[in-house]
Amino acid sequence: MDRYAVIGHPINHSKSPFIHTLFARQTQQHMCYEAIELAKDGFIAGVSELFANGLRGCNVTVPFKQQAYQFAHQLTDRARVAHAVNTLKMTDDGLILGDNTDGAGLLTALDLEFGSLADRCILLLGAGGAARGVIGPLLAANPRSLVIANRTHDKAQALAEQFSTLGGIEAMSLTNLDGRFDLIINATSASLAGQRLSLPARVIHPQVCCYDMMYQVGMTEFNQWAKQLGARQTIDGLGMLVSQAAESFAIWRGIRPGVRQVISEMRRNMNV
């Protein structure tokens, strides 16, 4: 049986094994999928050993996406643009292919749950691997503007400069943010730790939609904050998780599973 996994630190919260079990059942694929936690300083050694022992592919989550980028022997175009990898595959010739399905997953989820991004003003919070993976696809969706903000402003500025050739993007400090945005995307990992971001309340208004890439049973801290301040809509990252997982599954198995039924099943399973 072909073996796959999701690798991160922490990883006990991950629903990826359940999702890929549903995909495998839906598409009649003979495979298994598990969650594996590696030490923060042990990704390269750990993933090397896993592939040497027969792993066929894996998803990579925080905090290892940029290390996975360095680990891969070959990279897809979208992984090169992102400078981050969330999907690794052992190819038939023994090389490791690195891809990034985060952006495609986010856009699929937003299309299902929010609508078109064309001519919208978007705020992206965070400057780590999750943010890197979605900037290119967000710009390709032709928003009116894309602003990136991060606790460390220099990191946001560096990302804005890196992606400036792909479209209109700028960095702003957290304290200078205002209420211009139609969509606010939280790409930080703060929700995993139950932490609240240091954002001015004025970014929230009755027309804004807030999207947290993280997910949990019940509302994330970010979405709770946004809803309390009167945001029109709050969405968690479950739809993105399922959609990017479907992209990864297609890379590994050559068949693309449907996502709507799996998202519904996940909602029922998590009671969210």
Side-chain angles (χ1 to χ4, degrees), residues 169-232:
I169 181 172
E170 63 174 311
M172 291 181 66
S173 67
L174 293 174
T175 55
N176 289 337
L177 296 174
D178 55 30
R180 77 180 73 175
F181 304 104
D182 302 301
L183 174 66
I184 301 174
I185 301 171
N186 178 25
T188 76
S189 59
S191 291
L192 285 178
Q195 298 173 346
R196 182 161 293 186
L197 298 173
S198 299
L199 291 173
R202 61 179 175 271
V203 301
I204 304 300
H205 55 84
Q207 286 75 47
V208 72
C209 172
C210 290
Y211 192 102
D212 197 336
M213 285 189 183
M214 301 299 123
Y215 64 95
Q216 63 184 43
V217 176
M219 294 186 73
T220 66
E221 184 71 24
F222 174 72
N223 282 349
Q224 287 183 46
W225 173 80
K227 185 175 182 179
Q228 288 168 2
L229 291 174
R232 174 181 64 86

Side-chain angles (χ1 to χ4, degrees), residues 32-50:
C32 65
Y33 187 106
E34 62 188 307
I36 298 174
E37 181 170 312
L38 296 178
K40 286 186 177 180
D41 60 353
F43 175 76
I44 299 298
V47 77
S48 297
E49 182 178 355
L50 288 166

